[in-house]
Structure formats: C-alpha cells, structure tokens
Amino acid sequence: MSKAAASSLPRLTRRCNAFAPAFPASRPSLVRTPSSTRSISITGPWRPSTALEDHVARDARPISLRQLTFFGRNLTLERLLDSANYVRTELPTRLAHRIRDMQRLPYVVVTNPNISKVYETYYNSFELLRKTPEIKSSEENDKFCHLVKRMLTENLSVIPDLAVGVLECRDFVPASELDNFLKTMLKSRISRRTIAEQHVALTETFNSPFYFPNGETGGDHTNGVDFVGEVFLKCNAREVVEKCGKLCQDLSRQANGVNTPVPEIIIEGHPEATFPYIPSHLEYIIGELLRNSIQATIERHGSDANAKLPPINVLICQTQQYVIFRISDQGGGIPQDIFPHIWSFSKGPRRQKQLQNISLVPTMSATLQELFHTGAGEGVDKDGKPLRGTSLAPLSHRPPNLRLGLGLPLSRVYAEYWAGSLKLHSLASYGVDTILQINKLGNNLERLVERRNLDGI
C-alpha cells in the first residue's frame, strides 16, 4: 500500500463511521474500537430513503411574528386551509434536516439509546406527515389537527431524551459540538411547535361558536382579547414580570415552606412597554430567570426567618426596536467552577446530578405552565384566573424544585429564536445581572440554526 493511500485511511474511517446510521437496519454494521471488540448492531429506521433525501434538499420557509399575526387576522376557510397545507409541507422538511443532523453524528453517539429513541420518534413523525395528502376541506383540516396534536404530545419526551443522551456522550465528542447540535435541535423543535400550535389555535378559533367569518361583527376575530392564534398582540412588560414573579414566589414557598420569606420584586423603568409576542416563550425565559434569582437570594440571606431579604430589581427599557429586561439580584453570584458552563448543556461539574434529575422527568414541554400542573396555585394567576398557556398546555408537568441544569441554556435558545439575546454578568459574592433583549416589532424571521454551516434548517 502506498504511503498516500495509507494516510487517507483515518479520514475514510471517520467518514464511514459518521454515516454508518444511514445503512439499512437489516444489514447490521460491526464496529470495533480500541477499547472493546464487542460487536454493535443498529436497529430501527436507520435506512436510506429517497423521500428523506427529497425533503433534505428543500429549504425551510421561516416566518416572523408579524407574518403569523397578519395571516391569522380576518380568518377565512381559504386562509385556514392555506395554513394547514403550509404546516403539512413545512413540518416534514424541518424534521428531515434534523434527522440528517443525527445521521451525521459519530457512530458511538447515534447508538446511544436516548438519541436513537429521538431519531425513531422524528422518523415516524416524518413518515406520517409526508404521506398526508393535500387538505381541501374543514373536515380534513380537523383530522390533520388531531394528528398534529397527537404527535406533539408523543414528542414531549424529546427534551429529556436529548439532554440525557448528550450528557452520556460527553466523553466521546467535544462538548462544544454537542452543545451546537442540541441548540440546533431545540431551536428547530421550538419552530415546529410554534407553527403547529399556531395552526391548531387558529382552527379552534375558526370552529368556535363565537367566531364570525368575513368580519360580520366588525374587527378582527381571535381566540381571545388581542390574541391571533398563539400571538398576543399587546404583551405588556409589567404584566409579564408581575405574573411570572408571583408564580415563582409561590413556587418558592411550596419548595421551601409556606412561611419562608421570599424577596420582593421591584419593577422600574418603562414597565408599560407593549409588543407582540408568544406569551409562553417570554414567560418561560422570565420565569426561569426569576426562579434562579429568588432561590439564590433565599439561599444566601434566608437563614434568619425574621430577616428582610434584599429585593430583586427588574429594570425595563424600550427603544424603537427593542424591549430590554435587566434582572438584578443579591444572591451572591454564580460559583466560579460553574460560571464558565452556564450556557452549556453538556459541560460543568454537576453532570451526574443532572443525569439523576433529568431521568425523573419523562416528558417536558419547556413552558412555565408545566410547573403548575400539580404545583403551587394549581395553574392560576395572581387574580385567581386559570393560566393561559399554549393551546396544547398543560401536556406535561415536572417538580418545581428539581434542578435540571437546562433553564439558562434553554432560555437563551428561546430568546435567540426570535432574534433576541440573553446575557448574564455575575458579581462574585454579591449577585447577578441578567439582560434579556427582545425585538418588539415582530418583523424578524425565526432563527432556526445554531451554526452557519448547517444545511437547510
């Protein structure tokens, strides 16, 4: 063998291993590693597919909040069917790109049972959606919505499965690559749920007995005051912070004792700023940030039951294009061994504890509402009214005091999805400043990828 040919073998081996999952399950691949001579076979739908290749070759069609709002106003049957067929064709395209991302993972990662489970779930969803014929009537749309809701419910295990799989594979792949992979998977998941839940909400609006098409009673007809589907046209900054703050304080009392003091939340700046947004996205971010600040403040200052805890200050600012939330606490800051890894899903010194905790959460919708399915307040707001989550909430629940290590990185994924940002500054032995910036115009397209070199979405 020539020297040049021999030097090319490592590259060829890596390339074959990376694409091993694409081979048929009926012809198991055998892999030998230096540390083991045990044969590994792959089961499940790891097979080539012409349909998958066709969908991977297609580009996604991103949307903006403004487009969602415009399309949902003055809803007619024709518009509803257009929405249904957009979702029918867009979901399998977005799923196909994520399936391809998983096929490109190293062999040792795709054989992980949790990653393999997500792959099979996505592949089954892809097959069902791509075989759905064009929707031409209201009855066909109702059946399609039933299919979509069933699939969204079945996919609730994706986040914990991915998180556990990534943590278990941390020793085989660089953490930065795993983080980029998981961020892309989660952004795509948010995008699919957004367009699916928006269409389900529009369908519920259209089927409502209080809906009158063609503007027969004047104005727009939505599924609630100032709602177009899942988009709230007049999301108020103060109301979001007050609602999330009250619920997080109740969660703290539930976790630490009814008589445990909780810090006051002070709102300053421009609290009356309004903007269009999907409430469940913003409430998840604000809720996670306030939960962290409340818990840190209690742990640092709450040893004396009679002591007055320092407040949490929320400064709200607005410009022509952005609304900015700055949440400041005096919880002592983030420990130095943890701070470098706060945005990572796979790095950090608490990996084993994360695995133990996430394994206790079989499903996760990543909404604030799931914390109250059986929790404090039984899913009511500060006025005692039921929480309005997505049209499919609550689909899951998790213990409110269980630390999963996913809150901050998942909050950043939510913020960046609509072209916003989330930054954190820790002052050692004092506290944390967290800055959330969101676009208040709603004219930015959804950001579906984490890396520029990813194909499609």
Side-chain angles (χ1 to χ4, degrees):
M1 181 182 296
S2 67
K3 185 175 181 180
S7 64
S8 67
L9 282 177
R11 293 194 301 272
L12 180 60
T13 301
R14 287 195 299 269
R15 196 173 172 87
C16 290
N17 284 344
F19 284 89
F23 295 127
S26 59
R27 293 162 59 185
S29 300
L30 300 180
V31 174
R32 295 181 184 272
T33 64
S35 59
S36 174
T37 58
R38 179 178 300 177
S39 298
I40 301 174
S41 64
I42 292 183
T43 59
W46 301 101
R47 55 184 177 271
S49 167
T50 302
L52 182 66
E53 295 297 331
D54 290 342
H55 282 79
V56 169
R58 302 175 187 177
D59 290 330
R61 294 175 289 169
I63 53 175
S64 67
L65 282 170
R66 181 174 292 180
Q67 289 172 322
L68 287 177
T69 301
F70 176 79
F71 196 83
R73 285 179 179 270
N74 295 320
L75 193 60
T76 64
L77 177 58
E78 182 181 4
R79 283 194 171 191
L80 185 66
L81 297 181
D82 286 343
S83 172
N85 285 301
Y86 167 77
V87 175
R88 177 184 64 86
T89 57
E90 192 69 9
L91 287 181
T93 298
R94 300 187 183 197
L95 279 169
H97 285 282
R98 299 291 70 80
I99 292 171
R100 176 49 49 86
D101 281 350
M102 285 186 277
Q103 290 179 343
R104 287 174 170 164
L105 290 170
Y107 185 88
V108 69
V109 178
V110 297
T111 56
N112 178 277
N114 294 287
I115 302 296
S116 182
K117 178 183 175 184
V118 174
Y119 181 94
E120 293 181 12
T121 299
Y122 278 14
Y123 201 98
N124 291 336
S125 297
F126 167 76
E127 286 290 303
L128 284 172
L129 287 166
R130 78 172 183 85
K131 295 177 181 178
T132 302
E134 182 181 359
I135 300 166
K136 300 180 180 180
S137 68
S138 179
E139 292 74 20
E140 291 177 356
N141 177 61
D142 290 341
K143 292 180 181 178
F144 176 66
C145 287
H146 179 75
L147 170 66
V148 168
K149 288 192 282 189
R150 177 169 62 83
M151 290 171 55
L152 291 176
T153 302
E154 292 172 351
N155 289 352
L156 284 173
S157 64
V158 165
I159 293 181
D161 286 338
L162 281 174
V164 171
V166 164
L167 286 171
E168 290 177 340
C169 295
R170 190 179 68 168
D171 296 333
F172 307 115
V173 179
S176 59
E177 293 185 18
L178 287 175
D179 279 337
N180 284 332
F181 164 74
L182 189 50
K183 288 175 186 177
T184 300
M185 294 290 288
L186 292 176
K187 278 187 181 178
S188 182
R189 177 188 180 275
I190 292 171
S191 78
R192 296 192 306 274
R193 296 191 75 89
T194 294
I195 62 176
E197 291 178 355
Q198 176 71 2
H199 178 67
V200 169
L202 291 179
T203 298
E204 291 176 352
T205 297
F206 189 82
N207 292 336
S208 169
F210 304 104
Y211 171 76
F212 300 95
N214 302 320
E216 295 173 6
T217 60
D220 297 323
H221 305 284
T222 64
N223 65 334
V225 178
D226 297 319
F227 271 95
V228 176
E230 296 292 335
V231 183
F232 189 24
L233 304 180
K234 297 181 180 180
C235 195
N236 180 273
R238 177 194 291 275
E239 291 178 357
V240 171
V241 174
E242 287 181 343
K243 172 183 177 180
C244 294
K246 173 66 166 57
L247 295 175
C248 290
Q249 288 172 332
D250 290 343
L251 282 175
S252 177
R253 293 188 181 96
Q254 179 191 5
N256 302 306
V258 177
N259 297 322
T260 301
V262 295
E264 179 186 5
I265 298 175
I266 300 175
I267 303 175
E268 303 171 309
H270 303 118
E272 302 310 319
T274 59
F275 46 91
Y277 218 76
I278 296 179
S280 61
H281 292 190
L282 184 58
E283 289 169 4
Y284 179 84
I285 303 171
I286 298 294
E288 286 293 335
L289 299 181
L290 289 176
R291 286 178 65 212
N292 288 344
S293 290
I294 289 173
Q295 189 62 32
T297 302
I298 291 174
E299 290 177 355
R300 182 170 177 81
H301 302 278
S303 57
D304 184 357
N306 297 320
K308 182 175 176 58
L309 301 180
I312 295 170
N313 293 285
V314 180
L315 176 64
I316 301 172
C317 306
Q318 69 170 327
T319 65
Q320 290 184 343
Q321 187 174 358
Y322 298 105
V323 175
I324 302 168
F325 299 80
R326 188 184 75 179
I327 300 176
S328 306
D329 64 57
Q330 299 177 42
I334 298 175
Q336 292 184 353
D337 63 327
I338 296 176
F339 185 76
H341 313 299
I342 57 173
W343 304 118
S344 173
F345 291 95
S346 59
K347 292 186 290 186
R350 299 178 177 176
R351 173 191 177 191
Q352 195 58 40
K353 187 63 176 177
Q354 280 183 265
L355 278 170
Q356 293 174 358
N357 289 349
I358 296 175
S359 65
L360 300 176
V361 184
T363 62
M364 184 175 175
S365 62
T367 62
L368 185 65
Q369 288 75 26
E370 71 181 347
L371 293 172
F372 300 92
H373 188 63
T374 57
E378 293 301 325
V380 298
D381 64 15
K382 64 177 182 176
D383 298 319
K385 299 178 181 178
L387 281 173
R388 186 197 187 282
T390 70
S391 60
L392 303 176
L395 294 174
S396 64
H397 66 91
R398 59 188 172 100
N401 56 343
L402 192 65
R403 298 188 178 184
L404 306 179
L406 302 177
L408 280 178
L410 190 51
S411 293
R412 174 177 269 190
V413 170
Y414 266 115
E416 293 177 348
Y417 172 66
W418 291 119
S421 64
L422 182 62
K423 300 178 181 179
L424 187 147
H425 305 277
S426 178
L427 305 176
S429 300
Y430 183 77
V432 168
D433 274 2
T434 310
I435 300 175
L436 169 66
Q437 177 177 285
I438 64 172
N439 185 300
K440 77 174 191 178
L441 302 179
N443 59 347
N444 286 95
L445 294 175
E446 50 185 343
R447 292 187 177 177
L448 303 172
V449 295
E450 181 62 24
R451 297 169 291 172
R452 292 183 179 179
N453 61 342
L454 282 174
D455 64 320
I457 62 159

